[in-house]
Amino acid sequence: MKAVKSFMKGLGGKALIVALIVFAGFGVRQKLERTYEDNQARTEDGEVNVYEDGSRVGRDLDYAENVPEDNKILQEFKKLYPQAKVLVACEEDLTNDGCSDLVVIFNQPEEEADHEHDASTQLVDGGHIRLVVMVDSGDGENYVGSDPIPAPVENQRIKFQDIDQKDEIEFILQGQKGSNVGYGIFRVVDGSPVNLFGEGMEDC
């Protein structure tokens, strides 16, 4: 037992712990990548729809639907950002507390923005595209908005999925800017969306 304790306190033990952490992190990343690829494969197999006017062909994709304009959480968001143009607003219990939360992607007018991310984003119609999560305080009545973070400027889509099958529900954000396409897998941690894994988001 003393030998084991001595080993764990020494350089070899520390190296073993670091190796285990790196291995575990690699495993989580591989699982997230496999889950995302599986979802993409299932999505691409969706039914093809020809619209009545014959001008569009699309697929029946498994993305979250926008909430209606009178959604109570969306109304709370609009109190915080009265001049914002809402692009996407999707509801889900992200924190696993039995109360719905809201992911909002919006165009925030330049004069209202905090300018923290301006250097890495472009102006779109006089504003910056941002993402905020309105997190329920636990009573189903009061909501706290996270700090705005950059979001893709075009074709934003959200899909909710409990990737690790426990605790919080993650959401996958997809979007593009011109020909650049990217995605990120987010989880709400301490009231803020955290990007667990993504690809190409910085170009969107």
Side-chain angles (χ1 to χ4, degrees), residues 31-77:
K31 179 174 175 54
L32 291 173
E33 285 181 332
R34 281 196 305 273
T35 301
Y36 178 76
E37 288 168 1
D38 289 346
N39 288 338
Q40 287 296 95
R42 283 197 295 271
T43 295
E44 288 169 2
D45 290 336
E47 180 182 348
V48 174
N49 297 318
V50 179
Y51 294 87
E52 288 183 4
D53 62 3
S55 64
R56 294 177 58 202
V57 176
R59 293 187 181 275
D60 185 16
L61 302 180
D62 189 21
Y63 294 120
E65 294 184 6
N66 281 328
V67 298
E69 281 294 317
D70 62 354
N71 177 275
K72 67 177 181 179
I73 315 177
L74 182 57
Q75 295 305 312
E76 292 299 315
F77 168 83

Side-chain angles (χ1 to χ4, degrees), residues 149 170-171 184-190 192-197:
I149 61 173
E170 290 76 28
F171 65 91
I185 300 174
F186 292 82
R187 176 184 294 160
V188 174
V189 179
D190 296 329
S192 297
V194 175
N195 192 343
L196 302 176
F197 176 77

Side-chain angles (χ1 to χ4, degrees), residues 126-185:
H128 293 280
I129 308 303
R130 298 289 186 253
L131 180 146
V132 161
V133 178
M134 298 293 291
V135 180
D136 189 283
S137 62
D139 58 7
E141 297 294 333
N142 296 291
Y143 303 90
V144 177
S146 64
D147 291 334
I149 61 173
V153 301
E154 300 172 312
N155 297 326
Q156 305 92 350
R157 299 287 186 271
I158 291 174
K159 177 181 175 66
F160 296 109
Q161 174 138 9
D162 189 3
I163 291 175
D164 58 5
Q165 302 297 312
K166 63 178 184 178
D167 302 325
E168 296 86 357
I169 291 178
E170 290 76 28
F171 65 91
I172 300 168
L173 169 63
Q174 294 177 291
Q176 66 184 89
K177 180 172 73 175
S179 61
N180 297 315
V181 179
Y183 74 93
I185 300 174

